[in-house]
Amino acid sequence: MKKSLTLLFLCIGFGASAQKLEVLTVEKIMRDPKWMGVSPDNIRWSDDSKKIYFTWNPDKAERDELFCISPNNLKPQKVALEERRGMIPSDGKWNKARTLKVYEKNGDIFILNVAAGKSIQLTHTAAHEMNPTFSGNESSVIFTDDYNLYALKLDRGELTQLTNFVKKASDGKKPAKENEQSRWLKTQQLELFDIIRANEKDRQLDSAERSLFKVSKLKEIVLGEKRLSGVQLSPDGRYVTYRLIQPAEGERNTIVPDYVTSSGYTEDIPNRTKVGSPQSTSESFIFDRQRDTVYSINTGDLPGIKDIPKYIKEYPKELEAYKKRDADRLVDVATPYWSPDSKYAVVDVEAKDNKDRWLMQLDAETGKLTLLDRQHDDAWIGGPGTSGFFANGSMGWADNTHFYFQSEASGYSHVYMADMVSRQKKQLTSGKWEVQTLHLSNDKKTFYFTANIEHPGITHFYRIPVTGGVPVKITSMKGGNEVTLSPDEKWLAIHYSYSNKPWELYVQPNKPGAKAIQVTNSVTEEFKSYPWREPEVVSFKNRNGKDIYARLYLPKKADPAKPAVIFVHGAGYLQNVHYWWSTYFREYMFNNMLADNGYTVMDIDYTASSGYGRDIRTGIYRHMGGADLADQVDGVKLLVEKYGVNPKHVGMYGGSYGGFMTLMALFTQPDVFASGAAIRSVTDWAHYNHGYTSNILNEPFTDEKAYRQSSPIYFADGLKGNLLMLHGMVDQNVNFQDIVRLTQKLIELHKENWWLAPYPVEDHGFVQPSSWTDEYKRIYKLFEETLKGK
């Protein structure tokens, strides 16, 4: 290094009073984050809308503590232990009038009377009752115990078992079938002997008498070795729907060795499977309690159920095999959404190959399905509220005949309404923006939602009528607004932040234009003493004509070498170019430090990032390290042409997907990137997990091309610059094996100028400040030594 760390990382004294952060150093910004102040989190309302609870740590205690405020008293108070013990869980189910709420706590069922502010315990057993809800007519509470459904009458406490799921039949044996010989012998005995005839007559009389007193037995439904899931009763109490899951056969889990243990021995941590591993399958059933019969939900008539994925056409042998099999694709059928009057039921059906999502009307009497909506994507189904990977489904009933859902049919995730009578669909929101959260009001007349209408990097809270209309903006602060609506819908608890201001809690009346009042002030004087940059948000056209957004950190005085660093966010499908406080707050501070030392820093929301619609989300299908990396190269071009960066002095760093991207950059674009720091990086996608990877690259044995062109290990021979690899040794997400395999490849290729820094006690997300400090000191040293030369 050209300068000693002592000179580079100027330290200031730490007294008992407020300190000033005059110079940023790795040691300072990578400390325990408590030095910055701890923002409020886990915000929730009490059921009576009188209190807001949140975790907070203004005193830098060992652990965050629970605080509360009320809309009429905004001074935070610590919640006493006695109150915490009596707190009602935030989940549970309301009756239609929202006067009663049933919930589970510690394995027992309770019912809350909101007006009285009191709860009554309905069960008190050693078993674990759960999933309570009201029956359709609200006369009973329905709950599960050991997967079986029970109904508890609220007026007289009568408990009724509704299902009888068992692992095997009661006697465990099937009766032997009679053959012709045994039947002949029985007839002969009756013919020859009076005593046999008399006994047979008595047996028949006994049987007839017993039948007069016989109590009907609940139908036994045998599970065998399958797992039971999603047991649900229709509102009218007639139908029980459930799913049986067949565990995968032949799957093999990875093992993560843990070397630094309390026992002193190396201990193995059982971990996940790898992509392409055998997956479980499921079948959905209906138990008609009225007819006492069980039958399956028929998925054979799903439109396109036999469709062959488009990519298979690139593999002639596999294509012929698909055609010969002529088999239905595997699907999962979710728990039905019943209309309040039980007349209609809708199921969300998802293809196991990730290419289709069907919303189907279920005829519960026959198990037949009728199409309401089909979303097909040659890449994979996803986007906010669509039930795809990285998305929770947002759907339900606005009334007895109108079903709402989200879809990316327009290219962006928007709200739709299906009329069950006319069979027509109506798009309620539209535009080049995404509905990111969706909530139906208590009276079912209004939708509340979060969206990025004004700018991809700004979120606000909006409302529209359920019939559609122009969105009305309720929040007004520029940045990130995460809203928790009070149960009575009169107030907003807003988790708000700006790009250079961490998250704080605000309270606002649920009215457009109302003032949001700040409740917490969490950051320390030391944190506030440094002028944290508000990164400039810029956009540029990539080589494919798409708008790509980036954060830019400009130095007040550029280093004579005109160096630049590209930071790459992780997860792939994640947004980091926005006007709110980043989850990558350490990297944000590190980027400030780099800019202070003469670097130009760019942070790009590359193709695959969230917040920009379907085309950007799926732009990496079958080629990770393709369009996403091209965006980084196009960003460098912008830095060179517009900001005077030296094209020979550009580096890159990032973690997880950002680490993968750094490897691909160093291996496939060595003339663009002189050095890179790859943190906890995927080196070979065939060794990552199934849920994430199979969406984007299909499976290794069906789409080898996709894996070969997407995995850095196949391009390691292209390394010319300087590569620093950093990885936690107990990483249960991207296993340490990944980086070890690449290390061996680099050794066999006789490559130089690469280094591996292992961290023995760290999982995927580092925890120890000492690890963060060591990691970023090495990254800074790499850039200082390789990007500031001639």
Side-chain angles (χ1 to χ4, degrees), residues 235-384:
D236 62 5
R238 175 174 175 178
Y239 299 105
V240 175
T241 54
Y242 62 96
R243 183 168 56 248
L244 293 183
I245 300 172
Q246 178 65 58
E249 294 183 6
E251 67 177 7
R252 182 178 178 183
N253 287 358
T254 59
I255 298 294
V256 176
D258 188 1
Y259 292 95
V260 182
T261 63
S262 58
S263 69
Y265 289 88
T266 300
E267 298 174 5
D268 289 338
I269 303 172
N271 196 223
R272 56 168 173 80
T273 62
K274 297 188 179 188
V275 59
S277 175
Q279 300 296 302
S280 62
T281 57
S282 67
E283 189 175 2
S284 293
F285 295 87
I286 301 169
F287 169 37
D288 185 338
R289 298 179 62 237
Q290 182 175 301
R291 294 183 293 166
D292 199 32
T293 185
V294 172
Y295 43 98
S296 63
I297 294 177
N298 179 19
T299 59
D301 294 330
L302 288 170
I305 189 62
K306 294 182 184 293
D307 285 359
I308 299 173
K310 189 176 179 180
Y311 75 89
I312 293 293
K313 295 177 182 177
E314 295 185 24
Y315 302 93
K317 289 185 179 179
E318 285 77 4
L319 179 59
E320 286 303 312
Y322 264 80
K323 289 179 178 178
K324 284 183 179 179
R325 279 199 302 270
D326 189 33
D328 290 354
R329 288 185 289 156
L330 296 176
V331 300
D332 285 322
V333 181
T335 304
Y337 291 81
W338 288 93
S339 62
D341 62 2
S342 288
K343 186 175 180 179
Y344 298 104
V346 174
V347 290
D348 182 359
V349 185
E350 297 182 15
K352 298 281 277 188
D353 65 11
N354 316 309
K355 312 298 183 190
D356 278 281
R357 175 208 186 191
W358 300 267
L359 293 179
M360 307 293 292
Q361 181 181 337
L362 170 65
D363 181 347
E365 193 169 358
T366 64
K368 291 189 65 176
L369 298 174
T370 305
L371 182 67
L372 280 180
D373 181 74
R374 178 187 179 187
Q375 297 173 56
H376 172 80
D377 200 314
D378 285 337
W380 74 96
I381 297 295

Side-chain angles (χ1 to χ4, degrees), residues 21-75:
L21 197 64
E22 295 175 346
V23 179
L24 295 184
T25 68
V26 172
E27 286 90 346
K28 288 181 181 179
I29 60 181
M30 297 298 165
R31 286 176 283 166
D32 184 327
K34 288 190 181 73
W35 77 266
M36 303 160 51
V38 180
S39 295
D41 203 358
N42 303 312
I43 299 166
R44 55 159 292 199
W45 287 87
S46 61
D47 291 315
D48 59 8
S49 299
K50 292 180 179 179
K51 288 186 177 181
I52 302 171
Y53 294 100
F54 56 97
T55 53
W56 196 32
N57 195 346
D59 303 321
K60 300 182 185 178
E62 283 295 317
R63 293 188 176 187
D64 296 354
E65 297 179 277
L66 187 66
F67 286 76
C68 72
I69 60 167
S70 71
N72 300 318
N73 181 3
L74 298 182
K75 184 178 180 180

Side-chain angles (χ1 to χ4, degrees), residues 18 49 179 196 210 277 288 305 359 384 445 488 581 652 712 753:
S49 299
N179 55 33
I196 298 294
R210 281 195 303 270
S277 175
D288 185 338
I305 189 62
L359 293 179
K445 294 180 179 180
D488 63 9
W581 184 249
M652 179 183 283
N753 299 325

Side-chain angles (χ1 to χ4, degrees), residues 454-710:
E454 295 182 354
H455 184 279
I458 298 173
T459 60
H460 280 295
F461 195 60
Y462 298 85
R463 74 179 187 217
I464 59 168
V466 293
T467 54
V470 178
V472 176
K473 187 173 74 171
I474 303 175
T475 53
S476 58
M477 296 182 291
K478 180 181 178 180
N481 292 273
E482 298 177 350
V483 173
T484 305
L485 190 62
S486 63
D488 63 9
E489 299 180 353
K490 294 180 180 179
W491 295 91
L492 312 181
I494 307 173
H495 200 217
Y496 168 80
S497 71
Y498 193 65
S499 56
N500 60 354
K501 295 181 176 66
W503 298 95
E504 300 289 1
L505 174 61
Y506 289 71
V507 174
Q508 176 189 322
N510 183 14
K511 297 176 182 178
K515 181 177 175 58
I517 302 174
Q518 185 171 349
V519 173
T520 60
N521 193 343
S522 307
V523 294
T524 62
E525 291 301 316
E526 183 184 6
F527 179 85
K528 289 189 286 188
S529 69
Y530 176 83
W532 298 103
R533 287 169 175 79
E534 179 185 333
E536 182 182 355
V537 175
V538 300
S539 65
F540 60 90
K541 295 284 186 184
N542 68 8
R543 63 192 65 185
N544 298 313
K546 300 287 186 182
D547 288 321
I548 299 298
Y549 289 79
R551 273 184 166 191
L552 198 60
Y553 300 77
L554 296 174
K556 292 181 180 178
K557 183 179 179 181
D559 185 270
K562 303 291 184 181
V565 169
I566 303 292
F567 167 65
V568 188
H569 71 68
Y573 189 61
L574 180 143
Q575 187 176 10
N576 203 48
V577 179
H578 46 61
Y579 287 93
W580 60 85
W581 184 249
S582 175
T583 54
Y584 290 95
F585 64 90
R586 293 183 179 89
E587 289 77 7
Y588 165 78
M589 293 188 290
F590 185 63
N591 292 342
N592 271 267
M593 186 187 116
L594 288 173
D596 284 351
N597 286 276
Y599 293 84
T600 298
V601 183
M602 180 175 268
D603 170 7
I604 301 172
D605 269 351
Y606 48 88
T607 298
S609 296
S610 61
Y612 303 94
R614 184 266 173 198
D615 289 349
I616 293 295
R617 177 179 65 80
T618 62
I620 57 168
Y621 178 58
R622 300 189 68 214
H623 192 183
M624 300 157 93
D628 44 4
L629 180 56
D631 291 341
Q632 315 292 339
V633 175
D634 292 345
V636 172
K637 184 173 182 288
L638 176 69
L639 292 181
V640 172
E641 294 177 352
K642 186 174 180 179
Y643 298 95
V645 162
N646 187 329
K648 294 183 179 180
H649 295 164
V650 180
M652 179 183 283
Y653 83 102
S656 196
Y657 198 99
F660 149 75
M661 192 83 79
T662 301
L663 293 176
M664 290 296 275
L666 269 289
F667 294 167
T668 67
Q669 299 289 338
D671 297 329
V672 178
F673 300 97
S675 62
I679 310 167
R680 49 188 178 274
S681 47
V682 175
T683 70
D684 185 347
W685 287 107
H687 291 257
Y688 196 50
N689 68 37
H690 185 87
Y692 179 92
T693 319
S694 65
N695 282 274
I696 304 171
L697 300 180
N698 304 308
E699 294 177 305
F701 49 85
T702 63
D703 198 1
E704 187 177 359
K705 290 179 184 178
Y707 283 82
R708 283 187 172 272
Q709 68 183 1
S710 300

